[in-house]
Amino acid sequence: MKTIIKAENICKTFGSGEAECKALDGVSLEIKEGEFVSIVGRSGSGKSTFMHLIGGLDKPDSGKITINDTVITDLNSNKLADFRCKNTGFVFQAFHLEPKYTVYDNISVPLLIANTPQKEIKEKVNNVLEQVGLTKKIKVKAAKLSGGEKQRIAIARAIVNNPPIIFADEPCGNLDSTNSDIIMSLFEKLNSMGKTIVLVTHNMSDAERTKRIITFKDGKKTDDKNN
């Protein structure tokens, strides 16, 4: 399998002086195309920081990150934003939906940024809503959705541009066990369709459903095993 994400000697520090905190200390790892990987560790272990870096949401202090043969650590902010739009989808614990927008409008955002024609937007939104099982909610405002529904809409928005990679940071953190199971099943389904998925979680039962578990502690990778 082809390597789709490669991180080499990644370091990241926040703050300065006495308040300085080394979030990542020389982390290197590779993720293959089509893998479903979880990154686990205690709060403050560096797992979310690492995901933000390999997802192009932030830049490391040093080290090199390559995604799909593109060295994203060499890209300027405009080129990096364009790369993210075409290659990655993000799902966060807090959903990040616009509450006053309808489901349709929330999912449409990445397509509008990509200057997608209106006819194509409608087709793509309907397609992803079918995948997450919420076609009947298309005209409902996000504020009226349940927590589980909001996360499924966030996933629909993440995949509407058909990116090869999905990054999910504690996607079940605000959900009960029933909705967590629905979300994890959805990720398993997307992975079976060929998506590479990187899941950050502190929940080991969710991590056990992925194909590989990478453990972080104090800014370092301490374990890496296949399930």
Side-chain angles (χ1 to χ4, degrees), residues 81-82 85-86 107-122 124 160-161:
D82 185 56
C85 187
K86 293 175 181 174
I107 298 173
S108 299
V109 171
L111 298 171
L112 293 169
I113 293 170
N115 296 313
T116 308
Q118 282 297 326
K119 184 180 178 183
E120 203 175 318
I121 289 176
K122 188 174 183 181
K124 288 187 173 186
V160 74
N161 266 339

mmCIF file of all heavy atoms in Angstrom, residues 81-82 85-86 107-122 124 160-161:
data_model
loop_
_atom_site.group_PDB
_atom_site.id
_atom_site.type_symbol
_atom_site.label_atom_id
_atom_site.label_comp_id
_atom_site.label_asym_id
_atom_site.label_seq_id
_atom_site.Cartn_x
_atom_site.Cartn_y
_atom_site.Cartn_z
ATOM 1 N N ALA A 81 -4.458 26.053 2.253
ATOM 2 C CA ALA A 81 -5.927 26.056 2.343
ATOM 3 C C ALA A 81 -6.539 25.355 1.136
ATOM 4 O O ALA A 81 -7.496 24.580 1.264
ATOM 5 C CB ALA A 81 -6.443 27.483 2.450
ATOM 6 N N ASP A 82 -5.986 25.594 -0.039
ATOM 7 C CA ASP A 82 -6.471 24.956 -1.263
ATOM 8 C C ASP A 82 -6.221 23.450 -1.210
ATOM 9 O O ASP A 82 -7.089 22.653 -1.586
ATOM 10 C CB ASP A 82 -5.762 25.571 -2.473
ATOM 11 C CG ASP A 82 -6.298 25.037 -3.796
ATOM 12 O OD1 ASP A 82 -7.524 25.141 -4.025
ATOM 13 O OD2 ASP A 82 -5.504 24.511 -4.597
ATOM 14 N N CYS A 85 -8.743 21.786 1.151
ATOM 15 C CA CYS A 85 -10.080 21.733 0.548
ATOM 16 C C CYS A 85 -10.235 20.534 -0.382
ATOM 17 O O CYS A 85 -11.277 19.899 -0.426
ATOM 18 C CB CYS A 85 -10.334 23.041 -0.210
ATOM 19 S SG CYS A 85 -12.003 23.216 -0.839
ATOM 20 N N LYS A 86 -9.163 20.207 -1.106
ATOM 21 C CA LYS A 86 -9.229 19.133 -2.104
ATOM 22 C C LYS A 86 -8.883 17.752 -1.548
ATOM 23 O O LYS A 86 -9.291 16.742 -2.122
ATOM 24 C CB LYS A 86 -8.272 19.448 -3.259
ATOM 25 C CG LYS A 86 -8.683 20.664 -4.075
ATOM 26 C CD LYS A 86 -7.620 20.989 -5.112
ATOM 27 C CE LYS A 86 -8.016 22.230 -5.914
ATOM 28 N NZ LYS A 86 -6.924 22.647 -6.841
ATOM 29 N N ILE A 107 -23.731 21.812 4.864
ATOM 30 C CA ILE A 107 -22.955 20.857 4.068
ATOM 31 C C ILE A 107 -22.379 21.518 2.818
ATOM 32 O O ILE A 107 -21.302 21.144 2.333
ATOM 33 C CB ILE A 107 -23.825 19.635 3.696
ATOM 34 C CG1 ILE A 107 -24.271 18.897 4.962
ATOM 35 C CG2 ILE A 107 -23.057 18.680 2.776
ATOM 36 C CD1 ILE A 107 -25.268 17.792 4.710
ATOM 37 N N SER A 108 -23.072 22.535 2.306
ATOM 38 C CA SER A 108 -22.657 23.202 1.065
ATOM 39 C C SER A 108 -21.382 24.028 1.195
ATOM 40 O O SER A 108 -20.736 24.322 0.183
ATOM 41 C CB SER A 108 -23.780 24.140 0.569
ATOM 42 O OG SER A 108 -24.951 23.441 0.282
ATOM 43 N N VAL A 109 -21.026 24.410 2.415
ATOM 44 C CA VAL A 109 -19.911 25.358 2.608
ATOM 45 C C VAL A 109 -18.630 24.967 1.867
ATOM 46 O O VAL A 109 -18.066 25.779 1.122
ATOM 47 C CB VAL A 109 -19.646 25.585 4.116
ATOM 48 C CG1 VAL A 109 -18.375 26.381 4.321
ATOM 49 C CG2 VAL A 109 -20.828 26.322 4.752
ATOM 50 N N PRO A 110 -18.110 23.732 2.029
ATOM 51 C CA PRO A 110 -16.870 23.387 1.314
ATOM 52 C C PRO A 110 -17.014 23.455 -0.209
ATOM 53 O O PRO A 110 -16.058 23.773 -0.914
ATOM 54 C CB PRO A 110 -16.588 21.944 1.761
ATOM 55 C CG PRO A 110 -17.362 21.768 3.013
ATOM 56 C CD PRO A 110 -18.580 22.613 2.851
ATOM 57 N N LEU A 111 -18.222 23.160 -0.707
ATOM 58 C CA LEU A 111 -18.459 23.197 -2.149
ATOM 59 C C LEU A 111 -18.472 24.629 -2.663
ATOM 60 O O LEU A 111 -17.974 24.914 -3.759
ATOM 61 C CB LEU A 111 -19.780 22.499 -2.479
ATOM 62 C CG LEU A 111 -19.843 21.014 -2.120
ATOM 63 C CD1 LEU A 111 -21.258 20.474 -2.287
ATOM 64 C CD2 LEU A 111 -18.873 20.211 -2.977
ATOM 65 N N LEU A 112 -19.037 25.531 -1.878
ATOM 66 C CA LEU A 112 -19.048 26.945 -2.253
ATOM 67 C C LEU A 112 -17.624 27.499 -2.279
ATOM 68 O O LEU A 112 -17.258 28.266 -3.178
ATOM 69 C CB LEU A 112 -19.916 27.750 -1.274
ATOM 70 C CG LEU A 112 -21.421 27.450 -1.320
ATOM 71 C CD1 LEU A 112 -22.133 28.105 -0.147
ATOM 72 C CD2 LEU A 112 -22.029 27.931 -2.640
ATOM 73 N N ILE A 113 -16.821 27.094 -1.289
ATOM 74 C CA ILE A 113 -15.419 27.527 -1.249
ATOM 75 C C ILE A 113 -14.676 27.033 -2.494
ATOM 76 O O ILE A 113 -13.818 27.724 -3.045
ATOM 77 C CB ILE A 113 -14.731 27.007 0.029
ATOM 78 C CG1 ILE A 113 -15.331 27.692 1.261
ATOM 79 C CG2 ILE A 113 -13.218 27.234 -0.009
ATOM 80 C CD1 ILE A 113 -14.904 27.099 2.579
ATOM 81 N N ALA A 114 -15.055 25.846 -2.969
ATOM 82 C CA ALA A 114 -14.415 25.253 -4.148
ATOM 83 C C ALA A 114 -15.039 25.727 -5.463
ATOM 84 O O ALA A 114 -14.707 25.218 -6.535
ATOM 85 C CB ALA A 114 -14.484 23.735 -4.052
ATOM 86 N N ASN A 115 -15.960 26.705 -5.380
ATOM 87 C CA ASN A 115 -16.635 27.261 -6.570
ATOM 88 C C ASN A 115 -17.355 26.197 -7.400
ATOM 89 O O ASN A 115 -17.324 26.208 -8.634
ATOM 90 C CB ASN A 115 -15.631 28.011 -7.462
ATOM 91 C CG ASN A 115 -15.050 29.230 -6.773
ATOM 92 O OD1 ASN A 115 -15.784 30.017 -6.188
ATOM 93 N ND2 ASN A 115 -13.736 29.380 -6.831
ATOM 94 N N THR A 116 -18.020 25.287 -6.709
ATOM 95 C CA THR A 116 -18.776 24.224 -7.367
ATOM 96 C C THR A 116 -20.090 24.786 -7.925
ATOM 97 O O THR A 116 -20.773 25.554 -7.253
ATOM 98 C CB THR A 116 -19.095 23.102 -6.358
ATOM 99 O OG1 THR A 116 -17.888 22.701 -5.708
ATOM 100 C CG2 THR A 116 -19.726 21.901 -7.045
ATOM 101 N N PRO A 117 -20.466 24.406 -9.160
ATOM 102 C CA PRO A 117 -21.747 24.861 -9.729
ATOM 103 C C PRO A 117 -22.936 24.433 -8.871
ATOM 104 O O PRO A 117 -22.910 23.348 -8.273
ATOM 105 C CB PRO A 117 -21.785 24.178 -11.098
ATOM 106 C CG PRO A 117 -20.366 23.854 -11.418
ATOM 107 C CD PRO A 117 -19.697 23.585 -10.108
ATOM 108 N N GLN A 118 -23.980 25.259 -8.821
ATOM 109 C CA GLN A 118 -25.140 25.015 -7.951
ATOM 110 C C GLN A 118 -25.792 23.659 -8.203
ATOM 111 O O GLN A 118 -26.171 22.965 -7.260
ATOM 112 C CB GLN A 118 -26.179 26.138 -8.137
ATOM 113 C CG GLN A 118 -25.844 27.421 -7.409
ATOM 114 C CD GLN A 118 -25.798 27.253 -5.890
ATOM 115 O OE1 GLN A 118 -26.541 26.473 -5.308
ATOM 116 N NE2 GLN A 118 -24.894 27.998 -5.259
ATOM 117 N N LYS A 119 -25.931 23.267 -9.454
ATOM 118 C CA LYS A 119 -26.561 21.987 -9.772
ATOM 119 C C LYS A 119 -25.765 20.828 -9.171
ATOM 120 O O LYS A 119 -26.322 19.869 -8.637
ATOM 121 C CB LYS A 119 -26.668 21.821 -11.297
ATOM 122 C CG LYS A 119 -27.410 20.560 -11.711
ATOM 123 C CD LYS A 119 -27.474 20.443 -13.216
ATOM 124 C CE LYS A 119 -28.179 19.148 -13.634
ATOM 125 N NZ LYS A 119 -28.194 18.992 -15.112
ATOM 126 N N GLU A 120 -24.439 20.961 -9.257
ATOM 127 C CA GLU A 120 -23.557 19.926 -8.716
ATOM 128 C C GLU A 120 -23.607 19.906 -7.182
ATOM 129 O O GLU A 120 -23.527 18.842 -6.562
ATOM 130 C CB GLU A 120 -22.128 20.187 -9.190
ATOM 131 C CG GLU A 120 -21.250 18.956 -9.182
ATOM 132 C CD GLU A 120 -19.880 19.235 -9.770
ATOM 133 O OE1 GLU A 120 -19.799 19.933 -10.800
ATOM 134 O OE2 GLU A 120 -18.900 18.756 -9.178
ATOM 135 N N ILE A 121 -23.740 21.086 -6.575
ATOM 136 C CA ILE A 121 -23.842 21.176 -5.116
ATOM 137 C C ILE A 121 -25.047 20.386 -4.624
ATOM 138 O O ILE A 121 -24.946 19.577 -3.699
ATOM 139 C CB ILE A 121 -23.939 22.653 -4.652
ATOM 140 C CG1 ILE A 121 -22.595 23.360 -4.835
ATOM 141 C CG2 ILE A 121 -24.360 22.720 -3.177
ATOM 142 C CD1 ILE A 121 -22.614 24.837 -4.489
ATOM 143 N N LYS A 122 -26.182 20.606 -5.269
ATOM 144 C CA LYS A 122 -27.422 19.918 -4.863
ATOM 145 C C LYS A 122 -27.254 18.398 -4.948
ATOM 146 O O LYS A 122 -27.639 17.654 -4.036
ATOM 147 C CB LYS A 122 -28.574 20.375 -5.749
ATOM 148 C CG LYS A 122 -29.933 19.887 -5.296
ATOM 149 C CD LYS A 122 -31.040 20.499 -6.120
ATOM 150 C CE LYS A 122 -32.410 20.047 -5.612
ATOM 151 N NZ LYS A 122 -33.520 20.626 -6.421
ATOM 152 N N LYS A 124 -24.433 16.634 -4.878
ATOM 153 C CA LYS A 124 -23.455 16.138 -3.907
ATOM 154 C C LYS A 124 -23.995 16.152 -2.484
ATOM 155 O O LYS A 124 -23.748 15.230 -1.705
ATOM 156 C CB LYS A 124 -22.165 16.967 -4.003
ATOM 157 C CG LYS A 124 -21.368 16.677 -5.259
ATOM 158 C CD LYS A 124 -20.027 17.383 -5.247
ATOM 159 C CE LYS A 124 -19.173 16.931 -6.430
ATOM 160 N NZ LYS A 124 -17.817 17.482 -6.398
ATOM 161 N N VAL A 160 -18.183 15.747 1.593
ATOM 162 C CA VAL A 160 -18.924 16.206 0.411
ATOM 163 C C VAL A 160 -18.008 16.513 -0.772
ATOM 164 O O VAL A 160 -18.421 16.404 -1.936
ATOM 165 C CB VAL A 160 -19.822 17.426 0.767
ATOM 166 C CG1 VAL A 160 -18.999 18.700 0.956
ATOM 167 C CG2 VAL A 160 -20.928 17.617 -0.265
ATOM 168 N N ASN A 161 -16.769 16.902 -0.527
ATOM 169 C CA ASN A 161 -15.806 17.141 -1.607
ATOM 170 C C ASN A 161 -15.087 15.865 -2.036
ATOM 171 O O ASN A 161 -14.165 15.924 -2.846
ATOM 172 C CB ASN A 161 -14.761 18.177 -1.174
ATOM 173 C CG ASN A 161 -15.138 19.589 -1.598
ATOM 174 O OD1 ASN A 161 -15.942 19.770 -2.513
ATOM 175 N ND2 ASN A 161 -14.560 20.578 -0.946
#
